[in-house]
Amino acid sequence: MSQIDNLPPLREVIAEHGLRAKKELGQNFLLDLNLTARIARVAGTLEGVRVIEVGPGPGGLTRALLAEGAREVIAIERDPRALPALAQIAEAYPGRLTVISGDAMEMDYSTLADGPTRIIANLPYNIATPLLTGWLTLDPWPSFFESLTLMFQREVAERICAKPGDDAYGRLGVLAGWRTEARIAFNVGRQAFVPPPNVTSAVVHLVPKPVGEDVTVKNLEHITRAAFGQRRKMVRQSLKAAGVPVDGLLAVAGLKGDERAEELPVEAFLAMARALPALRSQQQTSS
């Protein structure tokens, strides 16, 4: 493994600071600096870009982001054991690394943006999906970040990037498909991590795209929750959980009602979410 800077190899850093990965923190460390550099490059050129990183641990990806030319990295780390290792990186890259000791689930990420900003992270697996969902449901949209380049368990990555008809297609795929162009960049085998997780991982790259203001996150979530709540049933049956006349929902989406949720394009869910307020109003007027 080649070095990307003059800092010690990550195995030495981990040993020096006693950074045994903690399962309760969802930690799986990446030690191959060539691999972390590859992850950084998925996000494109980082010159002039501020990067927000969640869960840097001993700093393998942090070092790659800085070596690849990021103007500044804001690293959010909950584990105080990792702070001395990150301080060494900050010293090696003067003025370019800011470490925030805190809980990633409680951050207001928009306040960390400054000019071109991207989020790049090997996310702790126990908070990866809620973090992504939080970023994808921000308003106004497009949000403060230019892109998201994130590590997930392969199964979660497939759900994010799933298309209609895929077994993994569900609520997360609709949300990501609505607001982003999402793709799996590459897989990462278990052996790349310390300790090795039980599953293959994958790096996902998401780029926000403009969306209309006539669909709210709340209404789309209401529709997808109903539709996928009984995903093996025909949508005429599963959409009853939406609490509005099903015929109205089917009509605006151009559906017959015998389809299943995993077959429907994102636009069908958007059409139903768009119509939801008017259908509720009609229902209240007629009752």
Side-chain angles (χ1 to χ4, degrees), residues 103-138:
D103 190 337
M105 293 297 294
E106 297 178 357
M107 292 290 160
D108 181 355
Y109 289 89
S110 63
T111 64
L112 304 179
D114 178 25
T117 302
R118 301 174 195 169
I119 300 177
I120 307 174
N122 170 26
L123 295 175
Y125 285 158
N126 57 350
I127 59 171
T129 301
L131 274 176
L132 175 65
T133 302
W135 291 325
L136 293 183
T137 54
L138 290 170

Side-chain angles (χ1 to χ4, degrees), residues 129 132-133 136 156-164 166 168-180 182 206 209 220 224 228 231 264-266 269:
T129 301
L132 175 65
T133 302
L136 293 183
V156 177
E158 290 174 349
R159 287 168 50 208
I160 295 165
C161 301
K163 304 299 182 186
D166 293 347
Y169 187 57
R171 293 170 60 191
L172 188 56
V174 172
L175 177 60
W178 170 40
R179 287 194 151 181
T180 72
L206 304 99
K209 60 185 181 183
L220 182 63
T224 56
F228 288 102
R231 61 183 298 139
L264 305 186
V266 171
F269 293 104

Side-chain angles (χ1 to χ4, degrees), residues 11 14 21 26-32 35-36 39 121-125 151-154 186-203:
R11 289 190 184 276
I14 288 173
Q27 292 176 328
N28 297 91
F29 299 145
L30 285 172
L31 301 190
D32 186 340
L35 176 58
T36 59
I39 296 170
N122 170 26
L123 295 175
Y125 285 158
M151 181 88 75
F152 296 95
Q153 294 181 14
R154 173 73 194 196
F186 59 89
N187 293 333
V188 180
R190 298 173 57 251
Q191 69 281 359
F193 298 88
V194 174
N198 295 325
V199 294
T200 298
S201 302
V203 175

Side-chain angles (χ1 to χ4, degrees), residues 1-4 31-39 41:
M1 175 184 13
S2 62
Q3 286 294 104
I4 60 174
L31 301 190
D32 186 340
L33 292 173
N34 292 319
L35 176 58
T36 59
R38 185 183 178 192
I39 296 170
R41 288 193 290 269

Side-chain angles (χ1 to χ4, degrees), residues 52-114:
I52 299 173
E53 183 188 7
V54 174
L61 181 56
T62 313
R63 289 165 61 173
L65 296 170
L66 292 164
E68 289 292 320
R71 171 172 58 89
E72 183 181 7
V73 175
I74 308 295
I76 302 164
E77 179 55 63
R78 180 182 174 187
D79 187 352
R81 301 176 307 151
L83 300 182
L86 296 171
Q88 289 179 335
I89 301 173
E91 185 177 349
Y93 292 91
R96 294 175 58 200
L97 174 61
T98 299
V99 180
I100 298 175
S101 178
D103 190 337
M105 293 297 294
E106 297 178 357
M107 292 290 160
D108 181 355
Y109 289 89
S110 63
T111 64
L112 304 179
D114 178 25

